[in-house]
Amino acid sequence: MNSIKQYGWNENWSTKWNEKWSHAEDKQFIPGRIVGDFGSKYKVLTDVGETWGELAGKLRHTFVASGDFPAIGDWVALAMQDGGEHGIIHGVLPRQSVISRKVAGNTQDEQIVASNVDTLFLVSALNDDFNVRRMERYLIMAWNSGANPVILLTKADLCPDADSKIAEMESAAPGVSVHAVSAIQDEGREKLLPYIGEGQTVALTGSSGCGKSTMVNWLCGKNLQITQDVREGDSRGRHTTTHRELFVLPDGGIIVDTPGMRELQLWEDEGGLDLAFSDISGLASNCRFSNCRHEREEGCAVLEAVQTGELEEKRLFNYRKTQREVLYQNNKEVKLKRKSAASTKVSSSRTRGYGWRKELDEY
């Protein structure tokens, strides 16, 4: 039987648990980690085995936004029911890292991809899927999450000029490790061992067809995930993985596979933009004006670097474009928070006026 220690439980998590749950008097809670997210229900691994978990009604009513709900990788407090056949989730331990994006479409909600991840593998195939500009967006998401980003270039056996593409990706990702691997030819696995050791959690993210499920099977040493061939014409893939699931690796690490992304809409920026474009941020520190926008200002070190060839003009263009998107997204998020706070205040005021109090069911 797997134990929670095999799934990353350590002294740090034990300390967090003891701060809140070790002295609970009314119920007997046990810790567990969400290893499968299936929408309304969660697959949870505990020291008494794997079980299905659902949210307690009282906990559900405390959630304001979609990002508050438990996600794959979270550590939760469970009260077992029916002799251990299923559990009720009563709380979530504070997260160490949160990989999130804005949900697709016009809805202004956060979607948690995975939580409590140590290393985020940003996957791109060395075929028509290869896209440096798209990787810049993934890097912003990774830096914002608190996880350590590592770029994996898969299907190296299909690329005759892998070295040049590795160099191109390295220049666009300062300070980030880039590894080319081939699961088919079993090449490059040794480069990934430092990230998948005992107790470490890694997650895979990338576009559909980039080889994430193949990577999971390769690193696990068995066929855990279904894989499909990409279309020959444009190397586009289908959503082989339809839900998020967590697996234990032979080397002791834990890996999370996630569904492929057709698009990546950034949620909000907590410094990830400057880290993903650290070369531009470094140049900007030498600009004459502290509020330089790197467009037409005199003494702009960034524009000078473009003129001398030190900085690629396309990279600066993408920086400006992404900066505008992040600013727009942050402004919308601030407005929504203000609107939500105002709505809550009015609702609370009305409740006090009626002089009644609604009790929430425990389940």
Side-chain angles (χ1 to χ4, degrees), residues 248-266:
V248 174
L249 297 169
D251 302 281
I254 306 103
I255 193 165
V256 182
D257 191 14
T258 63
M261 297 184 186
R262 291 296 189 197
E263 60 175 334
L264 171 58
Q265 295 192 45
L266 300 173

Side-chain angles (χ1 to χ4, degrees), residues 225-245:
Q225 296 290 72
I226 299 172
T227 60
Q228 298 185 66
D229 293 332
V230 299
R231 297 198 299 253
E232 293 183 4
D234 56 7
S235 296
R236 295 294 295 272
R238 289 170 286 179
H239 290 292
T240 305
T241 301
T242 57
H243 59 272
R244 297 167 180 82
E245 199 158 0

